[in-house]
Amino acid sequence: MTKLDLLRSANFINGEWVPAASGASFEVTNPATGEIIGTAPNGGAADARRAIDAASAAFPAWRAKTAAERANLLRRLHDLILAHQDELALLLTREQGKPLAEAKGEVGMSAAYILWFAEEARRVYGDIIPSPWPDRRLLVTKQPVGVVGAITPWNFPSSMLARKIGPALAAGCTIVAKPAAQTPYSALAYGVLAEAAGIPKGVLNIVTGDAKQIGGELTSSSKVAKISFTGSTAVGKLLLRQGAETVKKMSMELGGNAPFLIFDDADLERAVSGAVAAKFRNAGQTCVCTNRFYVQAGIYDSFLEEFDAAVAALRVGNGSEEGTQIGPLIDSSALAKVEDLVGDAREHGGRIVRGGERHTAGENFYAPTIIAEASTRMRLAREEIFGPVAPIFRFDTEDEAIAAANNTEYGLACYFYTQDLARAFRVSEALDYGIVGVNDGLVTTEVAPFGGFKESGVGREGSRYGIEDYLEIKYVSLGGL
Ligand code: NAP
């Protein structure tokens, strides 16, 4: 197969590669080196409107295709992603910084989401309801909501978009996507792949540029039926408010403050490897990354010792170098936030066991850090750290641990380690979270529902539930029979 040219510096609107209407562009840099990779269009309201018009025009023909036709095109997209997995991973690492092995894993997840929803396209079933009247039949069908506006973050620039493109296209919706400014290339690459897969023009549109303007158009346009957003809770709330005027359907995958509980009866070795995976993936920049470790008093010291040894072995460096396990933070403001939070923890009695400073690998690197004797007086007990910093709190009783874990406005992912079966059920039922890892630190898969309680979001992505967010339910009463 001839390889596609995946690096694009133009917007993808109605099947064409176009510059921003204003002609302006912005630079994209490699966070590991500061090198300028290229530019992307600085689109605005006019570009968003053009993309919305294209998606709206493409909708009737796309929804009219059979589910099998849509599924086949999505399968082709899946195949093309896998055929370009190495190239896409390199691009992802260059713009985002994560280790190449993680980038490859993310691209594989993107393909898995597209394939999953290709399969789900054929299973959008309705119902026939037993009628309370002898002369009527009551039918329930499902149909696509319409044009979807998708806004995605920089931490998983490929898979967060796959989670939206997959169910939207499978359901029969068309889409206008706006990726994060730091990572436009992994998103624009979907335009190249969609084109090659034969997905009709206007079905998938990608616009980079001014977030406020593009978000403003997407949330206010009467042609857009739904917004699917992944990002911070603050921006999610803003979009919910903006979309209220036109009563947009909303899917929100927002921030987290994941607790990780280790009980005295945990398998220590498993807990340590789960803790490393749940904390340090993507340099701690995932919405399901552990933000707070709670360790029971009887196992606290031995956990700390083993965890420290495991963290000491992590290799920090440029993600494109073989063997790197922790790359840079996304930019200097992310680094400044992590420094602030560690400084605040220090002032409030935190004991730095390891790290606690920048790393010499480059300007945006922070050393893997462990802070013992963490307490609720520290800001990192409440705020998303989004960096390689592990605060370790101490607890005595199960009730105390559950109360502490639930003491947050977030409710995305949580984890706990125990070998007691009764406790495994008791605690997983008591935790107010959409995702619970019991003796498991890596929980994401396309076959399971991903999403949060409380201010962590609305709706679910992946699994058989994921497509429902893109469907309207229609009830038809057939009378006079
Ligand atoms: P962010 O600042 O909220 O940005 C996310 C996206 O929203 C970007 O594309 C951004 O565009 C855009 N945006 C910013 N302001 C906007 C506005 N006024 N109107 C419309 N769009 C706007 O979040 P982030 O810092 O990139 O990502 C990290 C956050 O995402 C964390 O809180 C993390 O927990 C969350 N997250 C959640 C999940 C989940 O599934 N629950 C998954 C991954 C990440 P620009 O880049 O152009 O500003």
Side-chain angles (χ1 to χ4, degrees):
M1 174 193 283
T2 44
K3 293 281 182 175
L4 298 164
D5 172 17
L6 295 163
L7 181 72
R8 294 300 169 103
S9 307
N11 281 331
F12 186 61
I13 300 177
N14 204 26
E16 285 168 23
W17 293 98
V18 291
S22 66
S25 58
F26 60 90
E27 287 176 345
V28 183
T29 55
N30 180 334
T33 60
E35 161 218 13
I36 293 166
I37 308 169
T39 62
N42 196 9
D47 305 272
R49 270 197 301 276
R50 192 169 162 193
I52 293 167
D53 287 345
S56 178
F59 177 59
W62 182 246
R63 73 177 286 191
K65 285 195 182 298
T66 65
E69 286 170 332
R70 290 197 299 270
N72 282 338
L73 289 168
L74 283 169
R75 273 176 193 282
R76 267 194 237 159
L77 178 59
H78 157 268
D79 295 347
L80 282 162
I81 294 172
L82 285 187
H84 293 84
Q85 188 167 9
D86 289 341
E87 294 81 358
L88 288 165
L90 259 175
L91 193 58
L92 206 169
T93 291
R94 277 182 82 198
E95 65 177 349
Q96 202 275 342
K98 69 178 62 178
L100 204 47
E102 281 187 33
K104 221 173 152 180
E106 180 181 341
V107 173
M109 275 305 289
S110 300
Y113 276 107
I114 298 292
L115 181 60
W116 172 265
F117 285 108
E119 291 161 347
E120 287 301 286
R122 288 149 60 94
R123 291 189 255 288
V124 177
Y125 298 129
D127 296 304
I128 296 176
I129 299 174
S131 174
W133 304 285
D135 62 339
R136 290 188 227 172
R137 297 293 178 269
L138 314 186
L139 318 179
V140 177
T141 58
K142 293 188 181 166
Q143 59 186 57
V145 295
V147 175
V148 174
I151 302 177
T152 48
W154 49 262
N155 62 347
F156 288 91
S158 173
S159 62
M160 294 301 104
L161 195 48
R163 280 182 183 185
K164 302 186 192 307
I165 292 174
L169 267 53
C173 299
T174 55
I175 192 164
V176 176
K178 190 264 172 242
Q182 293 95 333
T183 55
Y185 295 132
S186 295
L188 289 167
Y190 278 108
V192 181
L193 298 164
E195 225 177 357
I199 291 171
K201 61 181 194 166
V203 169
L204 169 64
N205 306 273
I206 304 152
V207 183
T208 64
D210 187 300
K212 277 199 185 114
Q213 287 193 32
I214 298 167
E217 281 301 314
L218 289 172
T219 47
S220 64
S221 169
S222 58
K223 291 182 181 171
V224 176
K226 174 188 173 69
I227 299 292
S228 178
F229 172 73
T230 301
S232 62
T233 296
V235 173
K237 286 179 181 177
L238 180 78
L239 296 174
L240 284 167
R241 279 195 292 273
Q242 286 179 194
E245 204 52 46
T246 47
V247 194
K248 295 275 180 278
K249 310 234 164 298
M250 290 283 185
S251 289
M252 293 278 148
E253 293 286 349
L254 308 177
N257 180 3
F260 190 119
L261 280 43
I262 300 153
F263 290 96
D264 282 345
D265 59 25
D267 174 331
L268 186 58
E269 203 178 313
R270 270 192 86 93
V272 167
S273 68
V276 171
K279 176 69 246 185
F280 293 102
R281 196 163 59 107
N282 203 8
Q285 304 171 108
T286 91
C287 53
V288 293
C289 265
T290 300
N291 214 54
R292 303 168 286 154
F293 286 97
Y294 292 95
V295 187
Q296 203 160 13
I299 203 174
Y300 193 94
D301 292 338
S302 42
F303 172 77
L304 198 56
E305 193 178 321
E306 300 287 316
F307 185 53
D308 183 41
V311 174
L314 292 173
R315 253 174 78 179
V316 180
N318 187 326
S320 57
E321 282 161 17
E322 188 70 32
T324 293
Q325 290 163 296
I326 300 198
L329 296 182
I330 189 69
D331 54 27
S332 56
S333 60
L335 189 89
K337 183 186 166 195
V338 169
E339 279 189 318
D340 261 13
L341 289 175
V342 173
D344 172 80
R346 224 188 231 121
E347 276 168 30
H348 289 95
R351 179 163 65 82
I352 309 289
V353 175
R354 171 165 302 280
E357 59 194 6
R358 291 175 179 220
H359 193 278
T360 51
E363 277 189 10
N364 292 335
F365 288 82
Y366 199 81
T369 295
I370 300 174
I371 304 176
E373 310 310 335
S375 79
T376 51
R377 291 181 303 146
M378 299 173 182
R379 276 172 52 203
L380 45 66
R382 297 176 295 280
E383 293 177 35
E384 225 179 356
I385 303 171
F386 246 56
V389 176
I392 323 275
F393 299 73
R394 190 188 292 268
F395 73 89
D396 290 309
T397 68
E398 184 180 302
D399 286 348
E400 185 195 330
I402 291 168
N406 285 340
N407 185 20
T408 167
E409 68 272 25
Y410 294 107
L412 187 57
C414 64
Y415 312 86
F416 67 95
Y417 278 67
T418 178
Q419 294 190 86
D420 177 336
L421 186 62
R423 171 175 273 160
F425 275 92
R426 215 167 43 233
V427 176
S428 60
E429 284 164 16
L431 289 169
D432 294 331
Y433 288 82
I435 302 164
V436 185
V438 187
N439 300 322
D440 186 8
L442 280 181
V443 290
T444 308
T445 156
E446 74 281 6
V447 308
F450 191 104
F453 287 11
K454 301 199 264 183
E455 292 191 18
S456 285
V458 183
R460 291 293 179 272
E461 292 194 318
S463 81
R464 71 185 171 88
Y465 303 102
I467 200 165
E468 297 293 333
D469 282 11
Y470 294 82
L471 296 166
E472 285 278 22
I473 292 175
K474 182 177 277 179
Y475 154 51
V476 178
S477 172
L478 210 60
L481 300 179

